[in-house]
Amino acid sequence: MCPSVLILTEATRGVVLRESGAKALPRSTSASIMLLCQTIVMAQNAVDAQELKKLQDQRIASTSTSLSEIEIIR
């Protein structure tokens, strides 16, 4: 099994928790990890928004195609 690690951080403090114990992170490392996490969340939100837009566009195209195939009643 690979080792399990939990990293807790905020802008100025952080700690790494392992089965063998805890280790405090330097202030600069905590800030860097915090920025990395924020970047990951923003990227995920952007990907989710892009996927949602694609699905909406597909639904509109699908609906448009269906409506165009309906014969006009005169």
Side-chain angles (χ1 to χ4, degrees):
M1 290 180 70
C2 63
S4 296
V5 175
L6 176 64
I7 300 173
L8 302 173
T9 186
E10 50 119 359
T12 59
R13 294 178 296 178
V15 65
V16 176
L17 302 175
R18 294 188 178 125
E19 286 184 25
S20 59
K23 179 182 177 185
L25 294 172
R27 186 179 296 250
S28 61
T29 303
S30 295
S32 295
I33 290 174
M34 189 66 144
L35 289 172
L36 175 61
C37 292
Q38 289 171 342
T39 303
I40 291 169
V41 169
M42 288 188 308
Q44 183 61 48
N45 289 341
V47 168
D48 290 346
Q50 288 175 353
E51 288 300 315
L52 180 59
K53 177 71 172 135
K54 284 181 190 176
L55 292 173
Q56 288 172 336
D57 290 345
Q58 287 174 357
R59 185 172 182 185
I60 290 168
S62 169
T63 303
S64 298
T65 303
S66 302
L67 292 175
S68 66
E69 294 173 354
I70 297 174
E71 291 183 31
I72 299 173
I73 301 173
R74 295 178 193 198

